[in-house]
Amino acid sequence: MPKLRHIIVIIILAGALWHFYGETFQQHGAAGVYEEIRSDANALIENPHITAAIDTINQEFQLLKGRLTDIQQESQQKKENAVERPQLDEPTEQSFSVGNAEIGDDRSEVENLAGKPKRSTMNEYGTDWHTYHENYHNFFMVAYDDQDQVAGIYTNQDMLTSTKGISYESSRESVLAELGEPLKAIRKGLVNYQIQNEQEYDVFLIENNYVTIFYDKHENNTVTAIQIISGELEKQKTSYFADPDQSLKEGFEYQLFDLTNAARVNHGLTVLNWEEPLRKTARDHSTDMAVNHYFSHTNPEGQSPFDRMAEDAISFRIAGENLAAGQSSSIFAHEGLMNSLGHRENKLKKEYEALAVGVSFDNESKPFFTENYLTK
């Protein structure tokens, strides 16, 4: 039966061709038919009415595709929003806790509450950040010392509790009123490293822990994140920039990706996928900036981010790029970008679907960060 159907289709097509081009075939042969078909096709393409109709169909198709994508994202977001926030208790041993974890807690205690980490990557302190979350809800990161006790904690979500009345609703003014004057510098060996924060964050020494509280300039300077590093862990970092290697490069890349997704969840947005082929484009640009001592979206050859993506055969419908340089970690790079309106808009752009991050270091160990976003 399938063979018979094919024969019938061929007969119908042959009859249609003979109806329109039989006379031409008799006069000029197959070559004449080919030329007439090509001429008719070109006339259709050049006809402004046909062109307009094709453009309209294409626009309607893109609108339909966009609507279907929005529906899919909304459905996914509803599922993600179903994640419950855990019961957060006031800390018992320290002034601050994050996700009910405090400096000095055993790893087993943390993981009894939060489960196993979703990712573990090298940080600037020579240890790993272990990320805990449920599809980027209830997100926090923990660093452990050699005894598997908490030596560092970070979150950019409402996972903070404090004996000092500080929460994610606290303003910078109220934080300073409660904690007093922040540090002006941190000493590393014989060098004092000045803290130049432009009021985007403050560092306090509390209970021999270095507590960095970050503020959101676009949300009335309220608390947006907190990092707590034990005094012992801070001592392990002997200079402002860590010694770079492949593990630290990959650590910074994945951390910046995770931090971005945690921020998107805070703002009711879907999480982004990691776009592995795009990492090369991002890394190459970071390396180019580090080696050639410049900081720009346009490289010395005049290429834009979109030119670089096209050169690497990366296809996209929309795309964007964020750059940062000179921050000591992915955390400080992320928080700085969130306080810069244009970069914040990229991180929180509803239409984006994927992200890759590329990091490189210059000859003074200063990191360069490139975030490339896209939607296919």
Side-chain angles (χ1 to χ4, degrees):
M1 287 297 292
K3 188 174 182 181
L4 179 60
R5 281 199 297 269
H6 290 159
I7 293 172
I8 292 171
V9 169
I10 290 171
I11 292 172
I12 292 171
L13 286 174
L17 286 171
W18 184 261
H19 175 76
F20 289 105
Y21 301 105
E23 186 176 341
T24 303
F25 179 78
Q26 289 176 330
Q27 295 176 2
H28 304 288
V33 171
Y34 171 77
E35 288 299 326
E36 187 167 343
I37 290 174
R38 191 173 69 168
S39 176
D40 289 345
N42 287 334
L44 284 173
I45 292 170
E46 293 170 2
N47 187 310
H49 297 294
I50 299 294
T51 303
I54 292 172
D55 287 343
T56 300
I57 291 170
N58 183 56
Q59 290 171 10
E60 291 298 324
F61 175 77
Q62 293 299 330
L63 286 171
L64 177 61
K65 185 177 179 181
R67 290 191 192 104
L68 291 173
T69 300
D70 288 343
I71 291 169
Q72 185 179 20
Q73 288 179 343
E74 288 171 7
S75 175
Q76 178 66 23
Q77 192 59 43
K78 286 177 182 177
K79 291 179 183 177
E80 292 173 0
N81 288 338
V83 177
E84 291 185 5
R85 183 170 175 266
Q87 175 64 44
L88 299 176
D89 301 321
E90 190 172 280
T92 57
E93 302 295 330
Q94 303 281 335
S95 296
F96 298 95
S97 71
V98 171
N100 291 324
E102 302 176 36
I103 297 293
D105 283 354
D106 290 332
R107 180 171 185 162
S108 59
E109 295 178 64
V110 176
E111 296 190 352
N112 281 340
L113 295 171
K116 296 296 182 182
K118 297 295 192 292
R119 197 195 310 274
S120 299
T121 53
M122 180 64 66
N123 64 27
E124 68 276 17
Y125 292 98
T127 185
D128 285 348
W129 278 126
H130 304 272
T131 61
Y132 300 90
H133 59 86
E134 299 174 71
N135 200 25
Y136 293 100
H137 290 257
N138 305 326
F139 176 91
F140 66 104
M141 304 196 300
V142 179
Y144 299 102
D145 62 18
D146 294 338
Q147 285 74 48
D148 254 357
Q149 292 184 320
V150 175
I153 319 176
Y154 167 89
T155 187
N156 61 349
Q157 293 187 354
D158 190 7
M159 298 289 285
L160 169 67
T161 55
S162 171
T163 60
K164 298 182 177 295
I166 294 172
S167 70
Y168 269 61
E169 297 178 355
S170 299
S171 65
R172 181 172 186 262
E173 184 180 40
S174 64
V175 170
L176 294 176
E178 179 62 37
L179 300 183
E181 192 71 17
L183 296 177
K184 296 290 191 296
I186 295 180
R187 189 177 183 84
K188 300 284 183 184
L190 299 177
V191 180
N192 259 1
Y193 291 94
Q194 299 296 314
I195 298 172
Q196 299 176 344
N197 54 37
E198 297 181 357
Q199 299 185 355
E200 294 185 1
Y201 63 89
D202 290 307
V203 183
F204 304 90
L205 185 58
I206 302 171
E207 298 157 350
N208 197 35
N209 299 320
Y210 289 87
V211 179
T212 304
I213 298 179
F214 299 89
Y215 310 104
D216 191 333
K217 284 186 171 182
H218 305 288
E219 295 289 342
N220 300 316
N221 283 320
T222 50
V223 173
T224 189
I226 185 169
Q227 175 183 269
I228 308 170
I229 302 296
S230 72
E232 288 302 312
L233 185 58
E234 187 64 47
K235 284 179 185 177
Q236 292 179 203
K237 186 167 175 274
T238 56
S239 60
Y240 183 73
F241 296 126
D243 292 332
D245 60 18
Q246 186 65 23
S247 294
L248 186 62
K249 177 186 291 187
E250 291 181 359
F252 279 178
E253 289 170 349
Y254 283 123
Q255 289 154 25
L256 197 46
F257 172 77
D258 288 340
L259 295 170
T260 300
N261 271 335
R264 287 176 66 86
V265 165
N266 275 346
H267 290 82
L269 300 170
T270 54
V271 299
L272 302 173
N273 298 314
W274 176 263
E275 186 72 13
E276 181 60 30
L278 190 55
R279 176 170 17 192
K280 177 185 180 299
T281 309
R283 267 191 186 174
D284 286 352
H285 188 56
S286 288
T287 300
D288 193 28
M289 290 190 293
V291 170
N292 293 301
H293 309 293
Y294 74 95
F295 184 72
S296 174
H297 293 289
T298 304
N299 65 19
E301 288 73 40
Q303 289 181 311
S304 71
F306 317 111
D307 295 328
R308 293 190 290 272
M309 291 181 198
E311 186 175 64
D312 289 341
I314 304 295
S315 60
F316 59 88
R317 286 192 292 118
I318 56 173
E321 180 176 86
N322 280 348
L323 302 178
Q327 295 85 356
S328 61
S329 73
S330 50
I331 288 174
F332 282 87
H334 169 74
E335 298 299 341
L337 290 169
M338 284 295 289
N339 269 326
S340 171
L341 190 57
H343 299 102
R344 180 191 186 95
E345 288 173 352
N346 265 343
K347 281 184 176 285
L348 302 181
K349 193 175 184 68
K350 177 183 177 182
E351 290 79 10
Y352 285 145
E353 296 174 351
L355 164 65
V357 182
V359 172
S360 193
F361 303 88
D362 69 7
N363 56 8
E364 295 180 344
S365 301
K366 181 173 79 172
F368 287 74
F369 304 85
T370 300
E371 296 178 340
N372 283 151
Y373 298 83
L374 62 74
T375 297
K376 292 184 177 180

